């Protein structure tokens, strides 16, 4: 008889140890305008869990004023509180002032400050206690975002009668 292949096949290359070596990954923008409603940093591509959930720790190393090039400890502490309110989930979310993404935004100001550079760290730890961390640089600038509107000639949407086909 014919044997069918399993629906899900895993091909492991290298040693088993490589599957258990944590590797932290942050996906998200590096440059955002002040007017962005939502900024999401995601850890979904972090790996090395050995098939179990990774323990995530989001922290902020510093909030640096882009004009003075110095850390602003007040902003660093504020952003530490913002990150800590998000329960160390796979994503952390920031919003612009006055925008509510969910009920957290009714109580906490998760906005990013214009002309600041945030150094955001993700540390992942697997069930063996092995860890890895990565630093993400997020700059917030006051430059306007261009409004892009596609302009298409209406004639390009009209099909010529001879190009239509009839099916009997």
């Amino acid at each position: 008889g014919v044997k069918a292949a399993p629906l899900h096949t895993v091909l492991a290359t290298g040693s088993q140890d490589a599957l258990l070596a944590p590797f932290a990954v942050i996906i998200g923008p590096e440059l955002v305008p002040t007017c962005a409603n939502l900024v999401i940093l995601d850890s979904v591509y972090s790996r090395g869990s050995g098939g179990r959930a990774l323990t995530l720790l989001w922290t902020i190393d510093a909030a640096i004023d882009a004009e003075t090039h110095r850390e602003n400890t007040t902003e660093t502490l504020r952003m530490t509180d913002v990150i800590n309110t998000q329960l160390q989930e796979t994503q952390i979310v920031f919003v612009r002032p006055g925008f509510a993404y969910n009920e957290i935004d009714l109580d906490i100001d998760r906005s990013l400050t214009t002309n600041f550079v945030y150094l955001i760290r993700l540390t992942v730890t697997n069930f063996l206690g092995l860890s890895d961390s990565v630093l993400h640089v997020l700059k917030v600038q006051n430059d306007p975002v261009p409004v892009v509107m596609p302009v298409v000639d209406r004639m390009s949407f009209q099909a010529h009668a001879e190009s239509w086909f009839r099916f009997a």
Side-chain angles (χ1 to χ4, degrees):
V2 177
K3 293 185 178 180
L7 291 177
H8 296 84
T9 303
V10 176
L11 175 62
T13 59
S15 70
Q16 189 70 13
D17 292 339
L19 298 175
L20 296 175
F23 187 72
V25 177
I26 298 175
I27 301 297
E30 294 177 336
L31 182 65
V32 296
T34 304
C35 61
N37 285 341
L38 200 59
V39 176
I40 298 174
L41 300 181
D42 199 330
S43 67
V44 69
Y45 291 109
S46 295
R47 60 186 186 271
S49 66
R52 301 177 188 181
L54 289 168
T55 301
L56 306 174
L57 178 62
W58 293 95
T59 56
I60 182 158
D61 285 8
I64 300 170
D65 186 318
E67 293 175 5
T68 65
H69 304 286
R70 296 181 188 268
E71 180 183 6
N72 181 311
T73 54
T74 303
E75 183 67 3
T76 300
L77 291 173
R78 184 184 78 81
M79 291 308 289
T80 297
D81 289 342
V82 167
I83 289 172
N84 288 340
T85 62
Q86 300 191 46
L87 305 176
Q88 302 301 330
E89 296 181 3
T90 57
Q91 295 180 338
I92 56 171
V93 177
F94 305 100
V95 298
R96 74 170 164 77
F99 182 79
Y101 177 65
N102 59 30
E103 64 275 356
I104 291 174
D105 299 311
L106 301 176
D107 298 324
I108 303 290
D109 177 14
R110 294 194 292 176
S111 63
L112 298 167
T113 303
T114 304
N115 292 326
F116 267 81
V117 177
Y118 297 97
L119 305 179
I120 299 170
R121 183 174 300 279
L122 170 64
T123 302
V124 297
T125 305
N126 68 13
F127 71 100
L128 296 173
L130 302 173
S131 297
D132 184 48
S133 67
V134 63
L135 187 67
H136 186 82
V137 178
L138 180 64
K139 182 177 182 182
V140 183
Q141 63 182 28
N142 200 21
D143 293 341
V145 175
V147 177
V148 178
M149 295 180 59
V151 178
V152 179
D153 181 16
R154 289 180 56 176
M155 293 304 292
S156 64
F157 287 118
Q158 296 178 358
H160 297 285
E162 60 269 9
S163 67
W164 297 354
F165 295 97
R166 291 188 124 174
F167 298 99

